[in-house]
Amino acid sequence: MTYKISAYQLFTITFIFQLGTTIIFGFGGLAGRDAWIGDLSSLGLGLCVIGIYIALMRMNPGLTLVEWFPAQLGRWIGTPIAFLYPLMYLYLTGRIIADIRDMVSTTILPGTPLIVITALFTIIIAYCVYGGIEIAARLGELIFPIVILMFVTETILLMGSGVLHFHHILPVLEKGWGPIWKVVYPGGITQTFGETITLAMFWPDVKNQGKITKITLLATLLSGIIITSFDFLAVLVYGDLFSRFLYPLYTLLSVISVGNFIENLQMFGVLYFFATALLKSVINLLTALQGIQQLTKMKDYRALIIPAAAVSLFLGMTMSRNIAEHIYLHHFKILVPYIWMPMTIVLPAILLIVTWIRTKLRKK
């Protein structure tokens, strides 16, 4: 029997999936003190992009992401295109493992061998994937209140530490819209909001199909507000220096000091990162394996878990030599323009046009 996701579970996994690794790396750093404006602009355009996915879902009722393409483009064209998505999500799982490798090894466990950190994280991912979307949904229910509680606690402690300086956001738009646009396009609308197409693999498993649109948009609004709030707080503390930090959230937590008693709460940042990265990794790998299962008509995707986890671990250990290469070369120069843009914007937009034309022709 297929497990059915509740509306609340869909809300939590959508929210946490969109936060992902964004909250620890920062989102709008390229815009400096106007980062929060870039975040809000990305949220607005991101909602439009998600509108494309929702329209495709409604035009292809009961079908998953990888089934949309064969259904509308035919088996010979649609199936090869659909296969690109499982490959992309396998690669993205490896990227998150590399994120964990770099973050943990440079912050809380600098002396621990990298293979120990990544292998342990990969084993946890594989175990969760074995349980299917049910485990992912329950993880979402567990992690969501923790993330919200930590966010509220962090905000209160920062206010109590006296480190927020509102003059740091002035002057607004000092350098115009140019730096903000660099945040918004293409990274801003693909990094968090465009990736939401992943969840289209699980939309057919939601109990109340009529609530998917509303729940997805509400979760997106909340995640966008949280991301904007983190960058806004970082700007209030550091001003333009915010854009120079590799882990702005982790650095932000280091300035908390209330009564010389509550200090050095960087572990909050690591906990944020680990929790959201874990759920995002589980969703990505589960999407890859179920996508392969549906396209090849396999009976069970679980036979692929160990090989897929091994490939992800290998990618996570070898795709980059250091954090600078991982972020500034692979992410900004390769991943965003050549993988995310085509897969999350271009192909869905083309598919929407084709689906709309075919629908009109059928009616005639």
Side-chain angles (χ1 to χ4, degrees), residues 175-197:
K175 299 179 181 178
W177 285 91
I180 293 173
W181 182 245
K182 290 180 181 178
V183 170
V184 175
Y185 181 86
I189 57 176
T190 57
Q191 179 177 346
T192 291
F193 307 110
E195 288 182 290
T196 307
I197 195 174

Side-chain angles (χ1 to χ4, degrees), residues 99-316:
D99 291 337
I100 288 289
R101 174 199 68 188
D102 295 326
M103 172 70 180
V104 175
S105 64
T106 56
T107 54
I108 60 173
L109 297 173
T112 305
L114 297 179
I115 187 62
V116 174
I117 298 171
T118 54
L120 180 60
F121 188 67
T122 305
I123 290 171
I124 297 173
I125 294 171
Y127 176 78
C128 294
V129 169
Y130 188 84
I133 190 58
E134 178 179 0
I135 295 297
R138 291 179 177 175
L139 267 178
E141 288 181 300
L142 175 66
I143 296 172
F144 175 75
I146 296 174
V147 170
I148 295 298
L149 178 61
M150 288 194 297
F151 168 72
V152 173
T153 303
E154 177 194 348
T155 303
I156 294 173
L157 291 177
L158 282 170
M159 294 173 65
S161 299
V163 295
L164 303 181
H165 307 289
F166 283 89
H167 66 272
H168 282 167
I169 66 171
L170 301 175
V172 177
L173 296 176
E174 179 183 16
K175 299 179 181 178
W177 285 91
I180 293 173
W181 182 245
K182 290 180 181 178
V183 170
V184 175
Y185 181 86
I189 57 176
T190 57
Q191 179 177 346
T192 291
F193 307 110
E195 288 182 290
T196 307
I197 195 174
T198 311
L199 299 171
M201 278 295 298
F202 310 105
W203 284 342
D205 297 327
V206 177
K207 291 178 184 177
N208 192 332
Q209 293 287 301
K211 290 185 177 180
I212 293 177
T213 300
K214 178 176 152 183
I215 290 297
T216 302
L217 295 179
L218 284 175
T220 302
L221 281 170
L222 181 59
S223 67
I225 290 171
I226 294 290
I227 292 169
T228 302
S229 299
F230 275 129
D231 281 0
F232 188 71
L233 289 170
V235 171
L236 291 181
V237 174
Y238 295 110
D240 274 336
L241 289 175
F242 153 70
S243 60
R244 302 181 187 179
F245 296 126
L246 186 59
Y247 303 119
L249 173 60
Y250 184 82
T251 308
L252 184 63
L253 291 168
S254 67
V255 304
I256 291 177
S257 179
V258 180
N260 294 321
F261 175 68
I262 303 177
E263 296 179 323
N264 300 321
L265 301 179
Q266 293 95 322
M267 275 301 298
F268 270 89
V270 177
L271 185 57
Y272 267 124
F273 184 74
F274 188 85
T276 57
L278 174 62
L279 182 59
K280 190 164 187 175
S281 301
V282 171
I283 294 293
N284 279 336
L285 191 57
L286 190 58
T287 298
L289 299 186
Q290 289 195 355
I292 293 172
Q293 176 192 7
Q294 291 172 10
L295 291 170
T296 59
K297 309 301 180 184
M298 290 179 61
K299 290 184 178 180
D300 194 347
Y301 70 88
R302 290 177 175 84
L304 301 173
I305 291 178
I306 293 178
V311 170
S312 298
L313 177 59
F314 176 78
L315 289 172

